[in-house]
Amino acid sequence: MTATPLAETAAAAAARPDDPTPGDLVALAAAVAGDAGRALALARQVGPRLAVPGRGRTARRWALLRDLAAADLTAARVAEAHTDALAILAEDQAVGGRTSLDADRAAAQLWGVFAAEGPGVRVDAQPAGDGWVLSGTKPWCSLADRLDRALITAHLPGGGRRLFAIDLTGPHVRVDPPTGWYARGLVQVSSTAVHLDRCPAEPVGADGWYLTRSGFAWGGMGVAACWLGGAIGVARALHRAVRAREPDQIGLMHLGAIDAALTAGQHLLDAAAAAVDDGRADGPAGALWAARVRAVVAGTVDTVLTRVGHALGPAPLAFDDDHARRVADLQLYVRQQHAERDDAALGALVRDRKEWP
């Protein structure tokens, strides 16, 4: 059975007088089937319909990201990055930002967020007349050759960094071809370097704002919602298997442990969403929430990948294209959580707390 092309399912959704429901969007995500072009088309639809975090509907936002990821991780990975950029722009406007970017127009474009740093390369910002220009190289820019605009961090003349919005389609931008992308997971969501040569840029937020704003932690938890969804997608293979034939005690043991891990991860995400919406996850408190959520959900992912692999053996990895792709996608995606290093960072956050646990 082949997946329905996204263009067909998107056209069907657009033909209805009402907007796509979350269920419609999840169906579109399933039709992505690892294709980046389909994922980008879906991201355009998800962007205007995904609630901005911190405004009373954060749990709904993360639930949709989770469900998209359970359907297809490429769909969720692309939609999360695009909608994170839109959330950053909304957060800037909420604190009195003076960017000229129109929210409706921004939502109609495809966005990336490029904030990674790499050895031997950097992007520098310089004042130019009434504006700014950026020059240098930014690594780890996913799908930069297929996006319209990006939010990108750059080093300032006096030290520190600032976030800027740039047009990726202009003559001052050159994107390396993805020839070095050898990943077996998220195969079409290639990351490469972007080279800027006095690229016009518009500042978003004040100096240092990108990393210190509350939304930085909230965005990190949105990524964890995608990891959880990816784990659900992998776990469903085991659930189908034990329902198709009578399982032994070992199969039931793995299924029970997976259920406990998924439930724990979901409950923590729900608690974090409530904290975001009622003001308990601002500033340093948000950083602690994010560190805990990402650690717990990454552990859940490890549990699911290990136990499903032990329960089902090599057959689905060798002969089930959908399952094999889900596993490879999730193994790569979850490595945005830096394992023991992030555990150490969490330990540093709780070390000096007077009341713990």
Side-chain angles (χ1 to χ4, degrees):
M1 181 177 179
T2 59
T4 303
L6 182 64
E8 295 178 15
T9 50
R16 294 192 297 269
D18 53 330
D19 287 338
T21 66
D24 295 329
L25 295 173
V26 172
L28 293 174
V32 166
D35 185 271
R38 296 175 184 177
L40 289 164
L42 175 61
R44 289 187 189 273
Q45 294 197 64
V46 173
R49 297 175 178 89
L50 202 62
V52 174
R55 299 185 183 180
R57 294 188 295 167
T58 302
R60 290 189 190 181
R61 176 186 179 90
W62 293 348
L64 182 54
L65 288 174
R66 176 203 64 207
D67 292 346
L68 294 176
D72 185 85
L73 271 170
T74 296
R77 170 68 179 82
V78 174
E80 188 283 323
H82 170 64
T83 56
D84 184 45
L86 300 182
I88 292 169
L89 293 173
E91 188 176 6
D92 176 50
Q93 292 175 346
V95 296
R98 287 177 253 177
T99 173
S100 64
L101 296 169
D102 176 75
D104 291 335
R105 186 181 172 200
Q109 298 172 314
L110 287 169
W111 287 80
V113 181
F114 304 149
E117 299 286 339
V121 295
R122 61 185 272 166
V123 172
D124 291 301
Q126 294 289 339
D130 294 331
W132 292 81
V133 294
L134 306 185
S135 297
T137 298
K138 177 66 75 171
W140 292 98
C141 300
S142 297
L143 295 174
D145 60 333
R146 304 180 71 171
L147 302 175
D148 302 311
R149 296 178 69 89
L151 298 177
I152 183 170
T153 54
H155 293 263
L156 298 169
R161 283 183 289 173
R162 191 171 187 180
L163 189 67
F164 294 87
I166 62 170
D167 182 354
L168 291 170
T169 66
H172 302 273
V173 179
R174 178 172 61 86
V175 181
D176 280 350
T179 53
W181 184 252
Y182 301 120
R184 297 300 185 263
L186 299 173
V187 173
Q188 294 195 21
V189 190
S190 54
S191 286
T192 187
V194 170
H195 307 279
L196 307 177
D197 182 10
R198 294 189 62 80
C199 176
E202 183 168 0
V204 177
D207 295 1
W209 174 79
Y210 172 72
L211 292 175
T212 59
R213 63 193 174 86
S214 295
F216 183 79
W218 304 346
M221 289 186 277
V223 172
C226 294
W227 299 340
L228 185 65
I232 290 170
V234 171
R236 285 172 177 166
L238 177 57
H239 188 250
R240 289 191 298 268
V242 299
R243 287 177 60 83
R245 63 182 184 275
E246 187 64 29
D248 58 16
Q249 287 292 99
I250 299 300
L252 291 175
M253 176 196 71
H254 286 308
L255 184 62
I258 286 171
D259 177 76
L262 291 174
T263 301
Q266 184 60 62
H267 279 304
L268 185 58
L269 263 176
D270 289 341
V276 167
D277 285 336
D278 67 18
R280 290 181 292 114
D282 294 337
L288 181 56
W289 272 106
R292 286 172 169 167
V293 165
R294 288 168 67 90
V296 168
V297 173
T300 295
V301 168
D302 288 344
T303 294
V304 170
L305 288 171
T306 298
R307 288 187 175 274
V308 169
H310 287 191
L312 297 182
L317 292 172
F319 299 111
D320 185 334
D321 179 64
D322 179 73
H323 179 74
R325 176 167 50 82
R326 288 179 187 277
V327 169
D329 289 348
L330 186 56
Q331 286 175 327
L332 179 62
Y333 198 1
V334 78
R335 289 283 58 86
Q336 288 187 5
Q337 204 267 355
H338 301 110
E340 290 81 4
R341 288 181 174 83
D342 280 357
D343 286 343
L346 173 56
L349 290 174
V350 302
R351 177 185 56 190
D352 295 327
R353 292 177 64 86
K354 293 181 179 179
E355 296 183 2
W356 182 88

